[in-house]
Amino acid sequence: MERSQTLQRLEKWLLRETGKAIADYNMIEAGDTVLVCVSGGKDSHTLLHLLRILQAKAPIEFRLIAMNLDQKQPGFPADVLPAHFEKIGVDYRIIEADTYSVVKEKIPEGKTTCSLCSRLRRGIIYRTAKELGANKIALGHHRDDMVHTLFLNLLFGGKLKSMPPKLVTDDGAHVVIRPLAYCAESQIARYSRGMEFPIIPCNLCGSQENLQRQKIREMMQDWDRRFPGRTEAVFTALQNVVPSHLADNGLFDFKGLTLETRVDEGDIVFDAPELPPVGAFPLTVLTES
């Protein structure tokens, strides 16, 4: 396919951001076998495509295996992804597991299914990675996902927590990586449309209007419309944590704080950088007449 210059520039930008995230967090090393989870959505398609380009250019050798979990959703086009994987020439595995029936049986009508669905899916992915000898598992979460998760945990879970760009699984067997951590969802969506990836929608949870995540998404979209750059600013904050100005005794020794304790930003952490220097304010001394 002959691609437009706009699409080529977009690909170059996504490759740069993906490569930077991989380097910043040391996501992929020589000899790794990376299981790339491909759901059929825009994010995972973009992830696989960018990783294959970077694999061809990288000074180190690592293996990529694309994986799709066929959850037996009614109407799921089971032939689409195998045909796509064959066309692009990537090693792949299709795992069939009827998690759809399990979720429908366990979750009452009208309730969100994401929690149980994700747990079932995660277990199958970990097992598959172990069977294939993959030490890394790549997921297609992007910058917006990480910001939305921060607000989900903050507003609904009472935790200052997001999706990390890299983590070790609970069983200590694998490292999960999110190479799209620096990429904006809007750019991924544009790229996916331009590349004409065979998109498969998720009919199990994608249409649930009462999802808390959807409410957060709408909130952030509204903020970005009214105040452009909010998502970028929040993500930057995730990389610039100041434990001494939160309230977690586990991260900072507030109990042991004394006059001799020194912290990086002290009491100026909330000062706006554009404030005039001391002495620049006109002062008026009021006295009783």
Side-chain angles (χ1 to χ4, degrees), residues 26-35 55 58-65 132-136:
N26 194 28
M27 292 184 182
I28 299 177
E29 301 173 88
D32 280 347
T33 295
V34 184
L35 185 69
Q55 181 188 38
I60 60 172
E61 292 188 5
F62 58 92
R63 182 186 179 196
L64 296 175
I65 305 175
L132 296 176
N135 61 316
K136 301 282 177 68

Side-chain angles (χ1 to χ4, degrees), residues 1 7 42 186 188-197 199:
M1 176 176 77
L7 187 60
K42 68 182 188 316
S186 59
I188 292 172
R190 286 177 55 206
Y191 184 69
S192 178
R193 288 193 299 269
M195 291 298 294
E196 299 181 347
F197 293 134
I199 302 300

Side-chain angles (χ1 to χ4, degrees), residues 95 124-134 174:
I95 308 299
I124 295 169
I125 291 171
Y126 291 174
R127 185 177 71 241
T128 302
K130 185 175 182 180
E131 292 172 354
L132 296 176
H174 306 95

Side-chain angles (χ1 to χ4, degrees), residues 48-61:
L48 176 63
H49 188 75
L50 296 178
L51 286 180
R52 294 186 72 237
I53 295 175
L54 292 173
Q55 181 188 38
K57 296 180 177 181
I60 60 172
E61 292 188 5

Side-chain angles (χ1 to χ4, degrees), residues 39-42 45 80-81 83-85 192 195-201:
S39 66
K42 68 182 188 316
H45 269 302
V80 170
L81 286 176
H84 176 66
F85 295 149
S192 178
M195 291 298 294
E196 299 181 347
F197 293 134
I199 302 300
I200 301 175

